[in-house]
Amino acid sequence: MKKLSVFLLLYCFTFLSVQAQQQASRPNILVILSDDHAYQSIGAYGSTLMPTPNIDRIAREGALFTNANVTNSLCAPSRATLLTGKYSHENGLKVNNISNPFNVDQQVFTRLLKQQQYATAWIGKWHLQTLPGNAFDYWKVLPDQGQYYNPAFIGMQNDTMRTEGYITDIITKFSLDWLNKRDTSKPFCLVIGEKATHRSWLPDLQDLGAYDDKTFPLPDNFYDTYEGRLAAKDQDMTVAKTMVNSFDLKVDVNYNEPGMYGRMTPAQKAVFKAYYDKISKDFDNHHYEGRALAEWKYQRYMKDYLATARSLDRNIGVILDYLDKTGLAQNTIVVYASDQGFYLGEHGWFDKRFMYEESLRTPLVMRYPKAIKPGTVIKSPVVNIDFAPTFLSLAGVPVPADMQGQSILPLFKPGKQTAWRKGVYYHYYEFPEPHHVSPHFGIKTDRYKLIRFYGLADFWELYDLQKDPKEMHNIYNASSSQQIIKNMKRELKAQIELYKDNEAKEILERVIKHIRTNPDRS
Ligand code: SGN
Ligand code: CA
């Protein structure tokens, strides 16, 4: 009897310590998700607009994804996709709208990790029109879009607390506080939701004017006239016309307004005002008009946008240093991505939404020393539905069959051919506010992109990405495109079936019926 109990004790001890070891060796997951950060402004993507040493460091020590795409280029839908591994029509979140809150009780990957003894947290911008609830062990989130200066945060007791300082620094501080206090017997999964670089761009005081000595080259399609592209012509998101002088460019600002300036401390406001007063005066003296005005706006846009990104990159450096100092770097996968891409004057635009490359694609870099060789470049098309399956696979948690993405881990195995998707499916819905971008869905293959716009007007666009990477020439009506269109439509139909997008399916069926009865129209 005595022998048996010693044996049992020994067994339990061994079992528990093996379990503890397994827990400890399971990787930590750290996701830094920025907002509206354009890959065109990141050094690792070849940009010379500004230095981004810390994002570049993740790419250099890990992997750079050159074809990372989103399902629906908008903040809330992108976050819902990250959490669920599903397209908008499946997770229910299609637009940014208070009337379309995220159902946080549905299956989200962090709850599955939590059930497998991961310590989980979301800190920063959430923007899902609900609160994170029990999908995480811990959360502290910005109300709605949040504020750059002295922001409020909502805590788990539904308590709202204002913190003095600059948003990106505060989000880093709260994130490191949680990491310091977390239950270290468990691996962790932390999502840091950055506010930067969302409109309207308010840089940290120390970064004001950081790029004032630079004149940024205008993108060569800044003066796009949108021929053959009806939706592109009809949008309301141009630097020239949509950008608001006071709100976006900070000229002739009323600093007594409550909103974004009213919350600044007098000391912050004094520094801020001194900087922008000079710009305002210069603007008033010049009476810019026409192209000169558009180009002045573009320069100011770039200076403020990049200065806002400066704090983002610096804070990523702080987080990477923390992982080094605490010995966590080796066993932590670090992911940096934006919720979608963004226009930096291409087609004359800011904002996102369109299925064109600058907003369909998003920056994505990852570091995980145990599985990713430094300097890896992944060209295969990944989509943000792949995040959830990837994180679950990393943690050794089975991926539920209804998640629509694929784990990207096999892409890291050098020399191994992995069965991978050939096309990227996309569906955007929000219309008409705030930027009047017509709803559309479509498919991108390695060479072509076929888009169906609906709502505003019904029409097709086709691009040859090899010959026309800036998507200036819609070749849908060219006679030489007919075979390509046939193939692309077949592929589009297959993707719609695969992802069970019934709304798109109905639209497509209607179009096909219409062509049959009116063969000269599409
Ligand atoms: C706000 C912005 C828009 C932006 C949306 C969505 N206007 O409405 O420019 O497209 O957010 O952005 S603002 O006047 O409030 O700045 S998202 O990143 O949240 O999807
Ligand atoms: Ca966004």
Side-chain angles (χ1 to χ4, degrees), residues 231-264:
K233 192 173 200 140
D234 218 47
Q235 45 57 47
D236 182 14
M237 49 187 260
T238 61
V239 173
K241 294 206 179 101
T242 312
M243 271 194 180
V244 179
N245 283 356
S246 57
F247 178 66
D248 289 306
L249 306 161
K250 297 114 199 162
V251 291
D252 303 325
V253 167
N254 175 4
Y255 285 99
N256 299 320
E257 267 175 18
M260 49 194 202
Y261 301 113
R263 58 190 309 113
M264 285 180 166

Short mmCIF file of all heavy atoms in Angstrom, two decimals, residues 231-264:
data_model
loop_
_atom_site.label_atom_id
_atom_site.label_comp_id
_atom_site.label_asym_id
_atom_site.label_seq_id
_atom_site.Cartn_x
_atom_site.Cartn_y
_atom_site.Cartn_z
N ALA A 231 -16.28 53.82 -59.89
CA ALA A 231 -16.30 53.92 -58.42
C ALA A 231 -15.15 54.79 -57.93
O ALA A 231 -15.29 55.60 -57.01
CB ALA A 231 -16.23 52.54 -57.79
N ALA A 232 -14.01 54.62 -58.60
CA ALA A 232 -12.83 55.41 -58.23
C ALA A 232 -13.09 56.89 -58.45
O ALA A 232 -12.62 57.74 -57.70
CB ALA A 232 -11.62 54.93 -59.03
N LYS A 233 -13.86 57.17 -59.49
CA LYS A 233 -14.17 58.57 -59.82
C LYS A 233 -15.15 59.16 -58.80
O LYS A 233 -15.11 60.34 -58.49
CB LYS A 233 -14.79 58.60 -61.21
CG LYS A 233 -14.89 59.97 -61.79
CD LYS A 233 -15.35 59.93 -63.24
CE LYS A 233 -14.97 61.23 -63.89
NZ LYS A 233 -14.49 61.07 -65.22
N ASP A 234 -16.00 58.30 -58.26
CA ASP A 234 -17.12 58.77 -57.46
C ASP A 234 -16.84 58.83 -55.95
O ASP A 234 -17.70 59.23 -55.18
CB ASP A 234 -18.29 57.81 -57.68
CG ASP A 234 -19.58 58.57 -57.73
OD1 ASP A 234 -19.62 59.58 -58.42
OD2 ASP A 234 -20.51 58.17 -57.01
N GLN A 235 -15.67 58.40 -55.53
CA GLN A 235 -15.36 58.38 -54.08
C GLN A 235 -15.22 59.78 -53.50
O GLN A 235 -15.15 60.77 -54.24
CB GLN A 235 -14.08 57.57 -53.79
CG GLN A 235 -12.91 57.85 -54.69
CD GLN A 235 -12.46 59.28 -54.74
OE1 GLN A 235 -12.32 59.94 -53.71
NE2 GLN A 235 -12.20 59.77 -55.92
N ASP A 236 -15.18 59.83 -52.18
CA ASP A 236 -14.94 61.10 -51.49
C ASP A 236 -13.78 60.88 -50.51
O ASP A 236 -13.97 60.80 -49.29
CB ASP A 236 -16.22 61.52 -50.76
CG ASP A 236 -16.08 62.85 -50.05
OD1 ASP A 236 -15.10 63.56 -50.34
OD2 ASP A 236 -16.92 63.16 -49.20
N MET A 237 -12.59 60.73 -51.05
CA MET A 237 -11.43 60.48 -50.18
C MET A 237 -10.14 61.03 -50.79
O MET A 237 -9.07 60.46 -50.63
CB MET A 237 -11.29 58.99 -49.83
CG MET A 237 -11.36 58.03 -51.00
SD MET A 237 -11.38 56.31 -50.43
CE MET A 237 -9.66 55.87 -50.68
N THR A 238 -10.26 62.17 -51.45
CA THR A 238 -9.05 62.74 -52.05
C THR A 238 -8.36 63.71 -51.09
O THR A 238 -9.01 64.39 -50.28
CB THR A 238 -9.34 63.49 -53.36
OG1 THR A 238 -10.23 64.57 -53.07
CG2 THR A 238 -9.94 62.59 -54.41
N VAL A 239 -7.05 63.74 -51.22
CA VAL A 239 -6.25 64.71 -50.46
C VAL A 239 -6.71 66.11 -50.85
O VAL A 239 -6.90 66.99 -50.02
CB VAL A 239 -4.75 64.52 -50.77
CG1 VAL A 239 -3.91 65.62 -50.13
CG2 VAL A 239 -4.28 63.13 -50.32
N ALA A 240 -6.93 66.32 -52.16
CA ALA A 240 -7.25 67.66 -52.66
C ALA A 240 -8.60 68.17 -52.15
O ALA A 240 -8.70 69.32 -51.72
CB ALA A 240 -7.21 67.66 -54.18
N LYS A 241 -9.65 67.31 -52.21
CA LYS A 241 -10.99 67.83 -51.90
C LYS A 241 -11.54 67.38 -50.56
O LYS A 241 -12.27 68.13 -49.90
CB LYS A 241 -11.96 67.39 -53.01
CG LYS A 241 -11.65 68.00 -54.36
CD LYS A 241 -12.93 68.09 -55.22
CE LYS A 241 -12.65 68.71 -56.56
NZ LYS A 241 -12.53 67.70 -57.62
N THR A 242 -11.25 66.17 -50.15
CA THR A 242 -11.91 65.63 -48.94
C THR A 242 -11.22 66.09 -47.66
O THR A 242 -11.86 66.28 -46.63
CB THR A 242 -11.95 64.08 -48.99
OG1 THR A 242 -12.42 63.69 -50.28
CG2 THR A 242 -12.85 63.51 -47.91
N MET A 243 -9.92 66.24 -47.72
CA MET A 243 -9.20 66.64 -46.51
C MET A 243 -9.64 68.02 -46.05
O MET A 243 -9.74 68.94 -46.86
CB MET A 243 -7.69 66.66 -46.75
CG MET A 243 -7.11 65.32 -46.48
SD MET A 243 -5.34 65.40 -46.38
CE MET A 243 -5.04 63.69 -46.05
N VAL A 244 -9.90 68.08 -44.75
CA VAL A 244 -10.43 69.31 -44.19
C VAL A 244 -9.26 70.12 -43.60
O VAL A 244 -8.47 69.57 -42.81
CB VAL A 244 -11.44 68.97 -43.06
CG1 VAL A 244 -12.01 70.22 -42.43
CG2 VAL A 244 -12.54 68.07 -43.61
N ASN A 245 -9.15 71.38 -43.99
CA ASN A 245 -8.01 72.20 -43.55
C ASN A 245 -7.78 72.16 -42.04
O ASN A 245 -6.68 71.88 -41.58
CB ASN A 245 -8.20 73.65 -43.96
CG ASN A 245 -7.90 73.83 -45.44
OD1 ASN A 245 -7.49 72.87 -46.09
ND2 ASN A 245 -8.12 75.02 -45.95
N SER A 246 -8.84 72.45 -41.28
CA SER A 246 -8.62 72.54 -39.83
C SER A 246 -8.47 71.16 -39.21
O SER A 246 -7.52 70.89 -38.48
CB SER A 246 -9.76 73.30 -39.17
OG SER A 246 -10.96 72.66 -39.45
N PHE A 247 -9.37 70.24 -39.55
CA PHE A 247 -9.38 68.93 -38.93
C PHE A 247 -8.17 68.08 -39.30
O PHE A 247 -7.49 67.51 -38.45
CB PHE A 247 -10.68 68.22 -39.33
CG PHE A 247 -10.83 66.83 -38.79
CD1 PHE A 247 -10.97 66.61 -37.44
CD2 PHE A 247 -10.86 65.73 -39.66
CE1 PHE A 247 -11.11 65.32 -36.94
CE2 PHE A 247 -11.01 64.45 -39.16
CZ PHE A 247 -11.14 64.25 -37.80
N ASP A 248 -7.88 68.02 -40.60
CA ASP A 248 -6.79 67.15 -41.04
C ASP A 248 -5.44 67.85 -41.02
O ASP A 248 -4.43 67.23 -40.70
CB ASP A 248 -7.07 66.66 -42.46
CG ASP A 248 -8.21 65.65 -42.49
OD1 ASP A 248 -8.11 64.67 -41.75
OD2 ASP A 248 -9.17 65.85 -43.23
N LEU A 249 -5.43 69.13 -41.42
CA LEU A 249 -4.13 69.77 -41.66
C LEU A 249 -3.77 70.78 -40.58
O LEU A 249 -2.70 71.34 -40.60
CB LEU A 249 -4.14 70.39 -43.06
CG LEU A 249 -4.51 69.35 -44.14
CD1 LEU A 249 -4.97 69.99 -45.42
CD2 LEU A 249 -3.34 68.41 -44.40
N LYS A 250 -4.69 70.97 -39.66
CA LYS A 250 -4.47 71.84 -38.49
C LYS A 250 -4.13 73.28 -38.85
O LYS A 250 -3.27 73.89 -38.23
CB LYS A 250 -3.40 71.28 -37.54
CG LYS A 250 -3.79 69.95 -36.95
CD LYS A 250 -2.85 68.92 -37.45
CE LYS A 250 -3.36 67.53 -37.32
NZ LYS A 250 -2.64 66.61 -38.19
N VAL A 251 -4.80 73.79 -39.86
CA VAL A 251 -4.65 75.22 -40.12
C VAL A 251 -5.92 75.90 -39.61
O VAL A 251 -7.01 75.37 -39.73
CB VAL A 251 -4.41 75.56 -41.62
CG1 VAL A 251 -3.05 75.08 -42.07
CG2 VAL A 251 -5.49 75.02 -42.51
N ASP A 252 -5.71 77.07 -39.03
CA ASP A 252 -6.82 77.87 -38.48
C ASP A 252 -7.71 77.03 -37.56
O ASP A 252 -8.94 76.99 -37.72
CB ASP A 252 -7.65 78.49 -39.63
CG ASP A 252 -6.75 79.35 -40.52
OD1 ASP A 252 -5.82 79.97 -39.98
OD2 ASP A 252 -6.96 79.36 -41.74
N VAL A 253 -7.07 76.40 -36.63
CA VAL A 253 -7.78 75.53 -35.68
C VAL A 253 -8.38 76.34 -34.54
O VAL A 253 -7.77 77.31 -34.08
CB VAL A 253 -6.76 74.51 -35.10
CG1 VAL A 253 -7.33 73.79 -33.89
CG2 VAL A 253 -6.32 73.53 -36.15
N ASN A 254 -9.54 75.95 -34.12
CA ASN A 254 -10.11 76.54 -32.91
C ASN A 254 -9.68 75.66 -31.72
O ASN A 254 -10.25 74.59 -31.49
CB ASN A 254 -11.64 76.59 -33.03
CG ASN A 254 -12.28 77.07 -31.75
OD1 ASN A 254 -11.59 77.44 -30.80
ND2 ASN A 254 -13.60 77.07 -31.73
N TYR A 255 -8.67 76.11 -31.02
CA TYR A 255 -8.11 75.29 -29.94
C TYR A 255 -9.02 75.22 -28.71
O TYR A 255 -8.72 74.50 -27.77
CB TYR A 255 -6.71 75.78 -29.55
CG TYR A 255 -5.69 75.39 -30.59
CD1 TYR A 255 -5.27 76.30 -31.55
CD2 TYR A 255 -5.15 74.10 -30.62
CE1 TYR A 255 -4.34 75.94 -32.52
CE2 TYR A 255 -4.23 73.73 -31.58
CZ TYR A 255 -3.83 74.65 -32.53
OH TYR A 255 -2.93 74.28 -33.48
N ASN A 256 -10.10 75.98 -28.75
CA ASN A 256 -11.00 75.94 -27.60
C ASN A 256 -12.10 74.90 -27.75
O ASN A 256 -12.89 74.69 -26.84
CB ASN A 256 -11.64 77.32 -27.37
CG ASN A 256 -10.55 78.33 -27.09
OD1 ASN A 256 -9.60 78.02 -26.38
ND2 ASN A 256 -10.67 79.51 -27.69
N GLU A 257 -12.14 74.25 -28.93
CA GLU A 257 -13.14 73.20 -29.13
C GLU A 257 -12.90 72.09 -28.13
O GLU A 257 -11.75 71.80 -27.80
CB GLU A 257 -12.98 72.61 -30.52
CG GLU A 257 -13.85 73.26 -31.55
CD GLU A 257 -13.55 72.71 -32.93
OE1 GLU A 257 -12.95 71.63 -33.02
OE2 GLU A 257 -13.92 73.40 -33.89
N PRO A 258 -13.98 71.41 -27.66
CA PRO A 258 -13.74 70.31 -26.72
C PRO A 258 -12.93 69.20 -27.39
O PRO A 258 -11.72 69.25 -27.38
CB PRO A 258 -15.14 69.86 -26.32
CG PRO A 258 -16.12 70.60 -27.18
CD PRO A 258 -15.39 71.69 -27.91
N GLY A 259 -13.50 68.28 -28.09
CA GLY A 259 -12.86 67.20 -28.87
C GLY A 259 -11.39 67.00 -28.65
O GLY A 259 -10.88 66.94 -27.52
N MET A 260 -10.63 66.97 -29.74
CA MET A 260 -9.23 66.54 -29.65
C MET A 260 -8.29 67.55 -29.00
O MET A 260 -7.26 67.16 -28.46
CB MET A 260 -8.71 66.06 -31.00
CG MET A 260 -8.96 66.95 -32.17
SD MET A 260 -8.62 66.00 -33.66
CE MET A 260 -8.32 67.28 -34.83
N TYR A 261 -8.63 68.85 -29.08
CA TYR A 261 -7.72 69.83 -28.46
C TYR A 261 -8.14 70.18 -27.04
O TYR A 261 -7.29 70.47 -26.19
CB TYR A 261 -7.64 71.08 -29.32
CG TYR A 261 -7.14 70.78 -30.72
CD1 TYR A 261 -7.99 70.93 -31.81
CD2 TYR A 261 -5.85 70.32 -30.92
CE1 TYR A 261 -7.54 70.62 -33.08
CE2 TYR A 261 -5.41 70.01 -32.19
CZ TYR A 261 -6.25 70.16 -33.27
OH TYR A 261 -5.82 69.84 -34.52
N GLY A 262 -9.44 70.14 -26.79
CA GLY A 262 -9.96 70.52 -25.48
C GLY A 262 -9.40 69.64 -24.37
O GLY A 262 -9.31 70.05 -23.21
N ARG A 263 -8.99 68.43 -24.76
CA ARG A 263 -8.52 67.50 -23.73
C ARG A 263 -7.02 67.65 -23.44
O ARG A 263 -6.49 67.01 -22.53
CB ARG A 263 -8.85 66.07 -24.13
CG ARG A 263 -8.26 65.66 -25.46
CD ARG A 263 -8.82 64.31 -25.94
NE ARG A 263 -8.72 63.29 -24.93
CZ ARG A 263 -9.78 62.73 -24.34
NH1 ARG A 263 -10.99 63.10 -24.66
NH2 ARG A 263 -9.60 61.80 -23.43
N MET A 264 -6.34 68.48 -24.24
CA MET A 264 -4.89 68.66 -24.00
C MET A 264 -4.65 69.47 -22.74
O MET A 264 -5.46 70.35 -22.41
CB MET A 264 -4.26 69.41 -25.17
CG MET A 264 -4.09 68.58 -26.41
SD MET A 264 -3.33 69.60 -27.71
CE MET A 264 -2.86 68.34 -28.86
#
